[in-house]
Amino acid sequence: MRLLLVSANRERSPYPVFPLGLACLVPSLEAAGHELRALDLCFEADPEAAVTAALADFAPQAVIISVRNIDNVTWPGSRSYVAGVKAIVDRCRGIATTILGGSGFSLMPAELLAFTGGDLGVVGEGEEILPEILALIERGESPACLPGVVAGAGAFAPPRPVERIAAPDRRLFALARYRREGGMANIQTKRGCPFGCIYCTYPLLEGRRMRLRPAAEIVAELRELADAGIDYVYFVDDIFNYPPDFAEELCRAMVASGLTMGWSAFINPQFITPRLMETMVAAGCDAVEFGTDSGSPAMLRNLGKSFGVEQIRESSRICRELGVDFAHYILFGGPGETPATIAESFALMDEVAPTAVIAMTGIRIFPGTPLFERAVAEGMVTPDEPLLEPTFYLDPAIRDVLGELVTAGAMTRRNWVAPGLEINMSDAMLEAMRHFPVRGPLWKLIKRLGRSHAKPLSQRQ
């Protein structure tokens, strides 16, 4: 079959993200004998016109639409992407079979399929199941009985996890442009998350059982990226440093390979030791991001974190002593949040002195998470409420003052970034920052900023 692979993601804040999920589909689809063409809408000025042109030029029999996110999970400055996905499906209707997938789609598959009017949807990982779906379609048979296939409003069989995670094939996509405009490429070393953060969707998308790629295979992929001109990568794993022995094995393999590529990753403060961080630095790591969520012991427990304040302190100390830039991500507004717990987070961040603090206000509610169950129990949402539009958990104790409290604290601290409140983070500022010769996360440039900047809350819609 002729297959058009469409990356629906158009979000470029804080930087454009390469469509890794679609690239992972390419090897198995080509092995099954399909003819492929890719359309990445991230850089298209008129996405609907681009879809129409691709349909006319390529005449695909099926269009595979990857939905990375359904919104920007940011409050109060939320942006929904679902209308854009529907517009793509509308252009394809009557011309080719439309199959939706991707992490965003998999969070609310029946709802998104119904909203967009797509023909089919694939929940979870598609590398193995998609060729089976297409084979049935070619024979004129329905694939609705296959694992993870959504064909309407009814129930569907649970997805089948991929056992062997193959390396992606990036040749159909503009890798150089992502490097030029985003400053890095992305790579995944494992799937699955065994942790219990109450809001997190990774266990829903990838399962709780971890599946690791061989270190030698990862290094080979890194070498391919280096040969393509990539000099910086971001490891998109939910947690790079878990399991710790695997992270160390990979870093030692990178050192042995002689690669001189810079990189950063999202890590858990519970599993950082001086030896592991030293090995990471030797392998090219120059920045890390901690999924800290709070500086309050009570809030860490409420959010289901696996670590405490002392581990946040110790991991931060290790980064400082080794000269590694580091950022802590903080989530304000969760269950039990009060002005006092907010103050604890500010105080701890002042103490550990990271390069940057990325503060998110409100926590996006997704079906299937413990946070959703709590929101239902507290009457914030109903069990069958459609959540396609951005819906956030904000503890009633601070709902009316959260924005003001975070703004007041962040504006007096130069290293704080609050995307939803546009404190040291706006689309215009990001565009300006991209002109700096930086590789990796833009928050590393926070040291070059002057006083904090924000758009007054009264001017936001």
Side-chain angles (χ1 to χ4, degrees):
M1 295 177 72
R2 290 185 306 279
L3 305 178
L4 179 63
L5 308 181
V6 178
S7 176
N9 177 48
R10 291 180 49 73
E11 182 60 74
R12 293 165 54 83
S13 177
Y15 26 72
V17 177
F18 182 88
L20 193 61
L22 276 182
C24 287
L25 297 178
V26 171
S28 62
L29 292 176
E30 285 191 337
H34 298 291
E35 181 183 354
L36 307 181
R37 181 174 294 186
L39 175 59
D40 187 350
L41 298 180
C42 188
F43 304 111
E44 295 290 343
D46 188 339
E48 294 176 46
V51 172
T52 299
L55 292 171
D57 181 58
F58 185 53
Q61 295 157 288
V63 179
I64 316 299
I65 303 171
S66 176
V67 183
R68 180 176 180 267
N69 299 104
I70 60 175
D71 57 71
N72 66 343
V73 298
T74 300
W75 180 93
S78 59
R79 289 195 290 260
S80 175
Y81 311 137
V82 296
V85 178
K86 184 180 187 304
I88 297 169
V89 174
D90 288 343
R91 292 295 176 113
C92 301
R93 188 172 290 110
I95 299 175
T97 299
T98 54
I99 304 174
L100 279 73
S103 56
F105 175 81
S106 297
L107 294 174
M108 285 177 264
E111 294 87 347
L112 196 53
L113 189 68
F115 177 82
T116 61
D119 295 309
L120 294 170
V122 179
V123 179
E125 301 159 327
E127 297 98 314
E128 294 178 354
I129 201 66
L130 192 53
E132 296 181 34
I133 293 171
L134 296 169
L136 289 175
I137 291 175
E138 285 187 292
R139 295 200 298 266
E141 301 176 26
S142 171
C145 61
L146 292 177
V149 173
V150 184
F156 56 89
R160 184 175 65 208
V162 169
E163 289 302 321
R164 187 185 182 282
I165 306 166
D169 186 333
R170 297 175 170 88
R171 292 175 298 166
L172 297 179
F173 304 92
L175 179 61
R177 185 162 186 181
Y178 280 97
R179 187 263 188 192
R180 184 171 66 252
E181 298 190 26
M184 54 188 163
N186 49 7
I187 187 168
Q188 186 175 38
T189 76
K190 66 179 81 74
R191 294 182 190 167
C193 179
F195 296 94
C197 303
I198 66 170
Y199 55 83
C200 187
T201 57
Y202 272 95
L204 301 177
L205 296 172
E206 299 182 353
R208 294 192 176 277
R209 181 172 60 87
M210 301 201 76
R211 291 155 291 153
L212 312 176
R213 294 177 61 193
E217 181 182 286
I218 299 166
V219 170
E221 185 180 346
L222 287 168
R223 189 169 295 285
E224 285 185 6
L225 289 170
D227 291 343
I230 300 298
D231 56 4
Y232 199 100
V233 298
Y234 185 87
F235 287 96
V236 298
D237 306 347
D238 180 33
I239 301 173
F240 174 82
N241 61 322
Y242 186 84
D245 55 348
F246 173 74
E248 185 167 344
E249 176 194 357
L250 174 58
C251 289
R252 294 195 182 283
M254 292 167 65
V255 171
S257 73
L259 287 169
T260 57
M261 185 178 291
W263 58 273
S264 54
F266 206 76
I267 65 175
N268 183 314
Q270 181 178 358
F271 304 103
I272 280 295
T273 62
R275 188 177 86 168
L276 176 55
M277 185 61 80
E278 287 169 0
T279 308
M280 290 167 61
V281 170
C285 177
D286 68 2
V288 293
E289 301 178 340
F290 290 100
T292 307
D293 289 0
S294 180
S296 162
M299 287 305 300
L300 291 173
R301 291 191 296 271
N302 292 350
L303 293 169
K305 307 306 290 185
S306 65
F307 51 82
V309 168
E310 287 306 314
Q311 289 160 315
I312 297 171
R313 288 191 175 104
E314 175 62 11
S315 58
S316 299
R317 181 192 65 79
I318 292 170
C319 290
R320 285 196 309 272
E321 292 186 353
L322 292 176
V324 177
D325 283 329
F326 64 106
H328 284 288
Y329 278 74
I330 302 294
L331 295 178
F332 286 116
E337 192 82 271
T338 65
T341 60
I342 291 173
E344 286 182 293
S345 290
F346 275 105
L348 183 63
M349 291 300 103
D350 289 345
E351 177 188 338
V352 300
T355 310
V357 178
I358 316 297
M360 308 299 292
T361 48
I363 305 179
R364 178 60 157 100
I365 303 172
F366 288 108
T369 62
L371 184 65
F372 171 75
E373 296 172 3
R374 177 151 186 164
V376 169
E378 294 179 1
M380 289 188 181
V381 299
T382 61
D384 56 353
E385 184 170 339
L387 296 173
L388 282 180
E389 288 301 312
T391 306
F392 294 85
Y393 187 101
L394 293 157
D395 193 282
I398 46 81
R399 176 186 297 272
D400 295 334
V401 298
L402 180 60
E404 286 80 3
L405 287 173
V406 175
T407 297
M411 285 291 289
T412 63
R413 294 162 168 88
R414 286 181 52 188
N415 64 334
W416 278 67
V417 173
L421 301 172
E422 295 195 359
I423 297 172
N424 286 333
M425 180 70 73
S426 67
D427 290 343
M429 183 176 291
L430 289 169
E431 287 297 331
M433 291 172 75
R434 289 191 185 100
H435 293 293
F436 285 90
V438 65
R439 289 288 175 261
L442 286 176
W443 55 258
K444 292 199 296 181
L445 290 174
I446 202 80
K447 292 176 288 190
R448 304 189 193 181
L449 296 177
R451 65 180 180 84
S452 293
H453 297 79
K455 181 189 294 184
L457 284 170
S458 60
Q459 295 181 15
R460 302 189 193 117
Q461 300 299 318

